[in-house]
Amino acid sequence: MSYRKYFAGLMAGLFAIGVAVAAESPSAPMSDGEHFCYYKDGQILSAAYKKPVGGESLFKLAEMRGEKPAKVTGFWFSPDDRRILLLGDDGLYYLYKIDSNLCGQVSSDGMVSEPLFSPDGKNLAFVRDNDIWVRRLEYETEFAVTKDAAKGVINGVREEAFGTAFGERITMAWLADGRHLAYVKDSELYLYSMQYKWNKLVSLPQDATCIVKIVPTTDPMKFAVTCLNERQNKLQVVMVDAGTLIAKVLHTDEDEKFITPSAALNFVADPAQTSYFALTQADGYTHICQYNMLGRKQKQLTSGKFDVMSIVGYDEQTGNLFYISSQAGPLQRTVSAVNVKSAKSVEVIKNVGNSQVSLAATGKYVSIFKDGQMEVFDAKGKSLGELAISEPTEPAIAVTPSEAAGFAGYILPATNPSGLVILVADPLQVNWTDYTFLTDAGYTVACFQVSGATGRGKAFEQAAYRHICTVPAQDYAKLAQVLADRYNIDANHLYIAGAGLSGSVAMTACSLPDTPFAGCVALRPVTDLRTCHPLTVVRQMQTQGANAGYATESPVSQCNAFNGRLLLVGSVSLERADLSDFWMYVSRMQAASKLFELQLYPGVCPCQVDDMSLPHLRQTILHFLKQ
């Protein structure tokens, strides 16, 4: 079997249907639409979708010459099938040249991020120290596209707050022929010409201050951009002509409160360039609409009392558009396909949770990957088999779906529960293994969707608007009372916990009149909304100064009302502004004569501690709960 037979045009096929290979998934679809490749036991193998067992070895890591990773966690073939981009378990990217069997780091001058092959396979763009670089693969040379990162400018990626608000940070893309690279410089859109070596500013509408996504089309001279205004209640889809640099607004969505982030992240152009597909909030829920290339809405493709969470890809041959939705319930995620001509939807896979979903190049097969297991389905939803690609990093934890006080969530029960800890988090994103130390100590753990969560319609998602801490805190208080009665938990052993902005909600819950909680654990909470998570906060609260909520919703203003015990956990390596608001909260609590426990850890991430500190943190939490 020749690898060229299967890999020729791989990236072109993926580009046409708008599917990207997830960085953390050690598998990828092949361009023939009938096979996929995956990494296992030090080698890359190929297997058929129809019978996903075994596999034929294509390349072995041990036989590669040069510098190579000890283990591969992700890989991509170049469009000309001459090279493989490898992501090692050391976090570094490597390039393997197939003809010479030679492997080496993408760049020897430092760690790189967000590498992107050009569609012709001749170049690789990447970000290093906030500047964009391009490596010419034929000549083994690299050059800088931007040179202003030293001045504090960020190119090609966005700040951490952007990733928190929208779920991804990369903001650069090659155009279809590889002659232009579009990218974001801070909050402005630029275009770089590989031929003429110029960087030119693309003028967008004046109120398009937040560029969310750059989407190339099959036309090498056109690309789309989704933009939001500062308040995030106006979304504009803009088409840019690379020749004239003229940006034309295709369509605009506006909302009195805010636009759901998924609407700004999901845009798929028909490869035939006759229409495009986007998400919009119609009839109170997020659904897929089809527009012509003039921006006129042609039809709404999905409908019902559920939210479409994302578009997976488009199969041009069948006219089926694959998407993930909450159709089966707020805690469920279902993969479905809607035909763009008939607007009829077919359920393909139920309850995929947070699994990675991939579409074959022809759209005939859909695969999901989670915990080392890959399962393949045909386009009608028939399971074709499972394949163990890698060993699960952690043992599976059984949680119990539950409903209480009108909210849906999961329960991780203790065998003989003596207490209850409610997590302020998205129950679909929780790594339950992290909380078995609580159940082992007799504390049942609960995590539920409350006001502000997605998947239950516009009204539920916007229920916490302008009250980003208070409304969810009130929901958790209602939930706690119901669960405490259900599990016969004494009020002295009822706690709430959260990190970051979720920690702010937990602290607010203990500041409510007649709070049911005995106390809370707050891991580096946002104590002042005016200083942290600006994009997330602005979406829910309008711009700073627009209402008094920035002060009243902040835990720093609620110290006098705080009731119960508090374990406040902080990191000592945060930015100066973050430390300032953290210590201001400590000072206010002391001034209010509130007793609390304070624990500091070294760490780069505000809401996490390093692996060495984690055991001590768990011991600290257990000691706090059992006092």
Side-chain angles (χ1 to χ4, degrees), residues 296-315:
R296 296 192 182 97
K297 183 178 175 180
Q298 293 179 311
K299 66 175 102 172
Q300 183 175 320
L301 296 176
T302 60
S303 61
K305 294 183 177 181
F306 62 90
D307 285 335
V308 173
M309 314 305 296
S310 63
I311 299 175
V312 178
Y314 176 60
D315 178 15

Side-chain angles (χ1 to χ4, degrees), residues 263-286:
L265 289 167
N266 287 272
F267 175 95
V268 176
D270 180 349
Q273 292 293 298
T274 58
S275 64
Y276 64 89
F277 312 100
L279 298 187
T280 185
Q281 288 184 312
D283 304 324
Y285 293 86
T286 303

Side-chain angles (χ1 to χ4, degrees), residues 4 12 26 31 40 72 153 191 284 370 417 546 558 568 601:
R4 293 183 185 276
S31 61
K40 185 177 182 179
V72 172
V153 177
L191 190 67
K370 185 178 182 180
Q558 303 166 3
L568 185 62
Y601 292 97

Side-chain angles (χ1 to χ4, degrees), residues 8 15 23 28 43 49 105 108 194 220 285 303 420 425 451 458 508 524 533:
F15 171 81
Q43 55 187 331
Y49 280 113
Q105 285 192 43
S108 59
M194 290 291 292
Y285 293 86
S303 61
L420 175 67
S451 296
K458 177 179 175 179
T508 301
R524 189 47 190 103
H533 296 277

Side-chain angles (χ1 to χ4, degrees), residues 329-601:
L331 291 178
Q332 306 296 323
R333 294 295 179 262
T334 301
V335 178
S336 301
V338 59
N339 187 273
V340 299
K341 293 182 179 179
S342 65
K344 291 184 178 180
S345 293
V346 177
E347 190 178 82
V348 180
I349 312 175
K350 293 182 178 179
N351 195 21
V352 298
N354 59 354
S355 302
Q356 296 172 5
V357 181
S358 179
L359 186 66
T362 58
K364 292 173 60 177
Y365 309 98
V366 182
S367 61
I368 60 173
F369 178 82
K370 185 178 182 180
D371 297 331
Q373 291 287 126
M374 179 177 178
E375 186 172 7
V376 179
F377 300 80
D378 65 19
K380 295 182 180 179
K382 179 184 177 181
S383 177
L384 301 177
E386 295 185 29
L387 180 66
I389 292 181
S390 59
E391 292 294 329
T393 55
E394 296 171 333
I397 301 296
V399 292
T400 306
S402 180
E403 291 189 5
F407 305 113
Y410 290 111
I411 300 290
L412 181 62
T415 303
N416 296 302
S418 59
L420 175 67
V421 177
I422 295 180
L423 302 179
V424 181
D426 180 354
L428 293 175
Q429 301 298 326
V430 169
N431 184 356
W432 292 98
T433 306
D434 291 341
Y435 301 98
T436 54
F437 79 98
L438 290 174
T439 56
D440 291 343
Y443 287 87
T444 289
V445 181
C447 188
F448 280 68
Q449 290 179 331
V450 298
S451 296
T454 58
R456 297 185 60 168
K458 177 179 175 179
F460 195 84
E461 184 179 356
Q462 295 184 348
Y465 181 66
R466 299 185 71 173
H467 301 284
I468 191 172
C469 293
T470 303
V471 170
Q474 292 171 342
D475 290 346
Y476 283 115
K478 296 175 185 176
L479 179 67
Q481 292 171 336
V482 173
L483 293 179
D485 290 340
R486 180 181 299 178
Y487 293 99
N488 195 27
I489 301 297
D490 185 273
N492 292 323
H493 300 283
L494 184 58
Y495 288 88
I496 186 169
L501 196 55
S502 296
S504 309
V505 174
M507 295 161 75
T508 301
C510 287
S511 302
L512 297 173
D514 301 322
T515 177
F517 296 105
C520 79
V521 177
L523 177 60
R524 189 47 190 103
V526 176
T527 58
D528 192 333
L529 297 180
R530 292 167 293 189
T531 61
C532 297
H533 296 277
L535 288 169
T536 304
V537 172
V538 166
R539 182 189 304 151
Q540 292 277 359
M541 300 290 294
Q542 298 183 11
T543 54
Q544 285 195 29
N547 62 81
Y550 274 89
T552 59
E553 289 288 307
S554 297
V556 73
S557 67
Q558 303 166 3
C559 294
N560 288 324
F562 191 92
N563 187 25
R565 301 175 60 237
L566 170 63
L567 173 59
L568 185 62
V569 181
S571 171
V572 297
S573 61
L574 302 180
E575 296 178 0
R576 187 181 182 89
D578 287 340
L579 282 172
S580 176
D581 93 83
F582 185 81
W583 293 123
M584 176 59 73
Y585 179 81
V586 170
S587 177
R588 294 277 182 89
M589 286 289 282
Q590 291 171 341
S593 299
K594 302 292 183 178
L595 299 179
F596 62 96
E597 296 184 32
L598 176 64
Q599 182 68 53
L600 297 177
Y601 292 97

Side-chain angles (χ1 to χ4, degrees), residues 78-83 117-124 137-138:
S78 64
D80 60 2
D81 61 39
R82 296 181 59 191
R83 295 170 175 83
F117 278 118
S118 61
D120 58 10
K122 295 181 179 180
N123 300 290
L124 183 74
L137 301 178
E138 292 180 314

